[in-house]
Amino acid sequence: MGSIESEDSCSTSAFMELAIQEAKNALERLEVPVGCVIVENKKVIASGSNRTNETRNATRHAEMEAIDSLLQQWQQDGLSQSDLAKRFSKCVLYVTCEPCIMCAAALSYVGIKEVYYGCANDKFGGCGSILSLHNTSSEYSNLVEGKGYKCTGGILASEAVSLFQTFYERGNPKAPKPHRTVVQS
Amino acid sequence: MVNSNWEIIHIPGKPSYPPTQQPTVSVFASVIDPKLANTLVRKLNNIAPLENLRHVKRVRKSCVDGKTQLSVILCLTDENGTDLDSMAIDLLELTTCYQLSPFVTQVCKYAAITKEEWEEQGKLWPTSFHPPTYNIDGITGFSEEDSKVVFDYMNFVLKLAKSAGCQLVNAAVIVDPSVNQIITSACDEISSWNVNLDDNEVRSLGTNEASISHSVANGSSSSMFNLDGSPDDPQASCSRISCLNPWQLPPPSSSTSCFWHPLRHAAMVAIEYSASRDRRLYPSMGETDERSIQLDSNGTSTVGFPAKRQKTNLPNVNNTDDPPADRVLSKSERPYLCTGYDIYLAWEPCAMCAMALVHQRVRRIFYAFPNPNAGALGSVYRLQGEKSLNHHYAVFQVKLHDEESMAVTNDGIVK
């Protein structure tokens, strides 16, 4: 049992390392450094990082980039609508920062299976910090019949936070240090 | 007048209650000798400040048997009971010292938003009333002229929502109210996603960039809907309205060329179109520096000021990309995301769309129909009241009244 668990936690951090690499790519493009990978059957099938500045579209978060690339890929492969839904229900997302309210809702709409995130997002977080959109047994469950997903935070959180710090130090040396390092995911 | 029976209702950041049913809390209060009022209030503010009841006045003046009587609030009662012993020791000492006789009474828990609420609150215990002063037009009411503009755009968006035939969809129109111009418009693209984004851009810009035309806007689009947003036409279906059923898999399409994209809700598509419009109109102005705004907004809330666009330049931003000052499109005219813009939606947006509109810095949201399943602006969640968010928009419902649908039906314009 113990060895299986440690193997699992090992692969969890290995996938999170890949997400952090994506976040570093975003940092190099002068974007808020958030990155993610989507994993199916222990294989990375999509990745994404923040492109809000480049696109001037503040919704182009890492998660949305990855979901869009998957949808495009799968539709080009000729998958049907129900195939797509089935595939999403086997996918696990690794993202460096807790999904914001928008992304947390989007992940529920596509029916993702599970989410691992790095640091919490105490301004915008939709997986426990501000709202709990991953959790169908919330106080709204009688109203919202959506799909829930398992969500685990704190994976390599300090690495994710230090990327944010690098970003803000680089981006604006004269600005006061942000009260919170997490601005967006 | 087609629109005379429409009403614009502000949807505030906290739930609203009927004025006579506002939530209250229990407090200890005591009648005091008016000569002691100043001393006692000073002492009380020191040892038992009413931190979360800033709207409640500490002292009540009433008239008993022709004589003025003053009462003062000592403190909140204990959650578990109204036993005097639950008071803090220094308060008990004060009570003994000045021979006060505390009694329990009710005060309103939340500050009044409307004058009606405030008047009711005063019947329990006097409160202060500060009408909202945010710099967002409409919270304190709409002029007749402004209402007309709102109704016209709402008409336009309802027509779009019906434009897909029997299948109703959500629709969105982004407007720059400072010049009364449509920036872009979009419908749900959940099952007809066009992979070629450039195509979409051209289409949306080609047909929508012009100002709203009156021939379009003056038609009575409301005739196609009942009061709750269900279609007047029994043949029409609500099943594909994105924000209403965000978890629902659409029925399999008979056409193989049909794409499925569960996240392309009207508001998301409209944001994308307006971003690509921005890139097209202002191609060489450097990257939007969101960081400056985000850092800036750490301490202060950025309640939409249209004039605030891009004023927050970073000292270290490389300005070589900026156009010369004499160019027609000066940097100050370039919108920062959707700052200062309004969005009109047929249905109240879901959590994804409502948060997207926070990210894109929209100033005001107008919707016609509430979304009891998944609405995030009052129905299920209330994002405009989430204090932690770094941007807050004002939310309005444009409501159709009974008389409206009746009148339209009698005119025979239905369907």
Side-chain angles (χ1 to χ4, degrees), chain B residues 270-284:
Chain B
I271 286 173
E272 183 186 289
Y273 288 171
S274 93
S276 59
R277 174 186 182 273
D278 185 22
R279 295 195 304 269
R280 191 176 57 87
L281 291 182
Y282 309 92
S284 61

Side-chain angles (χ1 to χ4, degrees), chain A residues 52-56 58 61 68 72 75 81 108-109 123-124 130 133 140 144 146 167 171-172 178 183, chain B residues 195 246-247 259-261 278-279 282 287-288 290-291 294 298 314 316 334 350 359-360 380-381 388 390:
Chain A
T52 52
N53 288 336
E54 177 199 336
T55 57
R56 300 182 202 173
H61 290 184
D68 275 7
Q72 200 155 355
Q75 311 217 35
Q81 289 167 16
S108 143
Y109 300 165
K123 275 174 103 179
F124 301 149
I130 307 299
L133 296 162
Y140 305 108
V144 176
F167 175 76
N172 189 357
V183 172
Chain B
V195 185
W247 297 278
F259 284 95
W260 179 61
H261 192 306
D278 185 22
R279 295 195 304 269
Y282 309 92
E287 296 305 315
T288 304
E290 191 169 19
R291 287 161 295 153
Q294 285 179 337
N298 262 330
L314 286 177
N316 67 325
R334 181 191 146 187
C350 67
H359 287 317
Q360 201 69 9
V380 180
Y381 306 106
S388 74
N390 64 344

Side-chain angles (χ1 to χ4, degrees), chain B residues 55-75:
Chain B
H55 58 287
V56 176
K57 299 203 166 168
R58 190 110 214 184
V59 179
R60 177 179 66 181
K61 198 173 176 181
S62 48
C63 204
V64 178
D65 300 333
K67 278 167 63 186
T68 303
Q69 188 184 64
L70 292 187
S71 311
V72 65
I73 293 177
L74 301 173
C75 63

Side-chain angles (χ1 to χ4, degrees), chain B residues 139-303:
Chain B
I139 288 182
T140 50
F142 288 83
S143 71
E144 201 170 313
E145 195 185 329
D146 291 344
S147 304
K148 176 80 169 62
V149 173
V150 169
F151 297 148
D152 281 353
Y153 285 123
M154 191 50 84
N155 252 326
F156 182 79
V157 88
L158 292 181
K159 275 185 181 301
L160 275 181
K162 177 75 177 178
S163 61
C166 286
Q167 202 67 59
L168 292 177
V169 293
N170 206 356
V173 177
I174 295 177
V175 172
D176 181 351
S178 66
V179 290
N180 198 19
Q181 186 193 32
I182 291 184
I183 298 298
T184 192
S185 67
C187 290
D188 287 342
E189 291 184 6
I190 286 183
S191 45
S192 60
W193 181 33
N194 187 341
V195 185
N196 187 345
L197 292 179
D198 289 340
D199 246 18
N200 262 334
E201 189 184 339
V202 170
R203 184 158 45 83
S204 77
L205 290 169
T207 51
N208 296 321
E209 213 165 5
S211 264
I212 190 164
S213 88
H214 271 265
S215 60
V216 173
N218 281 350
S220 50
S221 58
S222 57
S223 65
M224 301 174 299
F225 299 93
N226 291 317
L227 294 175
D228 59 354
S230 64
D232 225 20
D233 179 352
Q235 300 287 303
S237 158
C238 285
S239 65
R240 288 210 186 173
I241 295 160
S242 60
C243 289
L244 284 187
N245 310 291
W247 297 278
Q248 206 174 60
L249 205 57
S253 156
S254 53
S255 149
T256 47
S257 64
C258 184
F259 284 95
W260 179 61
H261 192 306
L263 307 182
R264 289 187 69 79
H265 295 199
M268 303 297 286
V269 179
I271 286 173
E272 183 186 289
Y273 288 171
S274 93
S276 59
R277 174 186 182 273
D278 185 22
R279 295 195 304 269
R280 191 176 57 87
L281 291 182
Y282 309 92
S284 61
M285 290 189 174
E287 296 305 315
T288 304
D289 209 303
E290 191 169 19
R291 287 161 295 153
S292 62
I293 307 292
Q294 285 179 337
L295 284 170
D296 217 47
S297 61
N298 262 330
T300 55
S301 76
T302 52
V303 177

